[in-house]
């Protein structure tokens, strides 16, 4: 499926924010961005709305759209909550997941594996999103699913950023396989523990994220 132009622009803007091209607090002008990307203002607006959902920009009525990177403490707190929510999903899914959904998880993992071999971080992230969305749905708890999707969107740029860390895609792939194995065995405690570690920001992932937040902190 061809990706929407707005999604592509949103990802490019993420990169420009993370590399310091756009400073924290800087106003993003729709007209200038439309000229930069050679598009109308409509996909620019859609891209900015997408970034607003993830919290990388703030839309202020009658003033415009401004870059807003979260501070280190806020970011780590969000990842802590995300890890716990996904752990609950995995524990519930271990006794509720369907055979069809397990097959879908295996398929998502196969595509993730292909992305690892191709060193294609964008493809890996798209299939990774599919993997986690399946897990949320298989928790069998609609409210929990919606909360996970909401926070997942909020953390989307930072989860994608982690994949730039050397060896992270292959490590993530191994964690995915361990999650599916635990779900197939009906071991909710094991599935919960593995995905909690998978999502939590610690060690090299922590330092990598904080290094990219330095422009915002300064």
């Amino acid at each position: 499926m061809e990706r929407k132009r707005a999604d592509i622009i949103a990802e490019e803007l993420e990169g420009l924010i993370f590399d310091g091209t756009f400073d924290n607090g800087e106003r993003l002008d729709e007209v200038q961005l439309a000229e930069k990307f050679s598009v109308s203002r409509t996909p620019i607006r859609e891209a900015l709305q997408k970034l607003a959902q993830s919290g990388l920009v703030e839309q202020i009525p009658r003033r415009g759209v401004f870059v807003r990177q979260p501070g280190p403490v806020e970011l780590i707190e969000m990842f802590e909550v995300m890890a716990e929510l996904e752990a609950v999903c995995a524990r519930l899914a271990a006794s509720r997941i369907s055979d069809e959904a397990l097959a879908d998880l295996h398929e998502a993992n196969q595509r993730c594996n292909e992305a690892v071999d191709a060193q294609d971080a964008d493809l890996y992230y798209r299939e990774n999103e599919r993997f986690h969305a399946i897990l949320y749905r298989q928790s069998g708890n609609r409210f929990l699913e919606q909360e996970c999707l909401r926070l997942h969107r909020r953390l989307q740029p930072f989860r994608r950023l982690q994949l730039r860390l050397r060896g992270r895609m292959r490590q993530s792939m191994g964690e995915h396989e361990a999650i599916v194995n635990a779900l197939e065995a009906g071991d909710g405690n094991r599935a919960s523990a593995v995905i909690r570690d998978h999502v939590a920001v610690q060690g090299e992932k922590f330092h990598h994220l904080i290094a990219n937040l330095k422009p915002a902190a300064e």
Side-chain angles (χ1 to χ4, degrees), residues 82-90 132 135-136 152 159 195 199:
M82 186 83 261
E84 293 302 323
L85 288 177
E86 294 209 23
V88 176
C89 283
H132 287 270
L135 183 66
Y136 303 159
H152 189 102
R159 295 182 80 150
I195 202 164
V199 176

Side-chain angles (χ1 to χ4, degrees), residues 69-132:
Q69 286 200 34
V73 174
E74 180 184 358
L75 185 62
I76 298 308
E77 287 177 344
M78 287 191 289
F79 268 102
E80 283 182 345
V81 173
M82 186 83 261
E84 293 302 323
L85 288 177
E86 294 209 23
V88 176
C89 283
R91 180 170 56 79
L92 293 174
S95 61
R96 299 175 178 179
I97 194 166
S98 67
D99 290 339
E100 181 181 2
L102 281 170
D104 289 341
L105 287 177
H106 278 294
E107 182 184 356
N109 271 354
Q110 176 58 38
R111 293 183 179 177
C112 281
N113 209 25
E114 292 170 1
V116 172
D117 291 339
Q119 287 297 294
D120 188 336
D122 289 336
L123 174 59
Y124 186 93
Y125 185 78
R126 290 195 295 274
E127 292 303 323
N128 177 69
E129 278 197 307
R130 180 183 171 216
F131 179 94
H132 287 270

Side-chain angles (χ1 to χ4, degrees), residues 40-206:
S40 69
R41 294 172 66 178
T42 298
I44 297 298
R45 290 195 189 101
E46 292 177 4
L48 292 176
Q49 288 172 357
K50 188 176 181 68
L51 292 183
Q53 287 182 334
S54 66
L56 268 186
V57 302
E58 182 178 11
Q59 295 177 312
I60 302 177
R62 296 183 296 279
R63 289 189 57 198
V65 178
F66 298 83
V67 174
R68 180 193 177 277
Q69 286 200 34
V73 174
E74 180 184 358
L75 185 62
I76 298 308
E77 287 177 344
M78 287 191 289
F79 268 102
E80 283 182 345
V81 173
M82 186 83 261
E84 293 302 323
L85 288 177
E86 294 209 23
V88 176
C89 283
R91 180 170 56 79
L92 293 174
S95 61
R96 299 175 178 179
I97 194 166
S98 67
D99 290 339
E100 181 181 2
L102 281 170
D104 289 341
L105 287 177
H106 278 294
E107 182 184 356
N109 271 354
Q110 176 58 38
R111 293 183 179 177
C112 281
N113 209 25
E114 292 170 1
V116 172
D117 291 339
Q119 287 297 294
D120 188 336
D122 289 336
L123 174 59
Y124 186 93
Y125 185 78
R126 290 195 295 274
E127 292 303 323
N128 177 69
E129 278 197 307
R130 180 183 171 216
F131 179 94
H132 287 270
I134 293 168
L135 183 66
Y136 303 159
R137 173 61 57 87
Q138 293 304 305
S139 71
N141 185 310
R142 182 66 175 169
F143 178 79
L144 177 61
E145 178 189 3
Q146 291 304 310
E147 289 300 298
C148 284
L149 288 171
R150 181 185 62 79
L151 188 51
H152 189 102
R153 285 192 295 270
R154 181 75 170 81
L155 288 171
Q156 190 176 57
F158 305 100
R159 295 182 80 150
R160 181 168 29 240
L161 182 63
Q162 291 181 48
L163 297 177
R164 299 180 189 175
L165 186 63
R166 186 183 301 277
R168 177 56 194 156
M169 280 195 294
R170 193 166 298 281
Q171 180 187 23
S172 175
M173 184 68 245
E175 292 162 358
H176 276 200
E177 291 174 345
I179 292 164
V180 175
N181 289 340
L183 292 173
E184 287 182 319
D187 189 341
N189 290 334
R190 175 62 180 161
S192 179
V194 174
I195 202 164
R196 182 182 289 110
D197 288 343
H198 173 66
V199 176
V201 175
Q202 52 197 349
E204 286 186 278
K205 291 194 291 183
F206 173 82

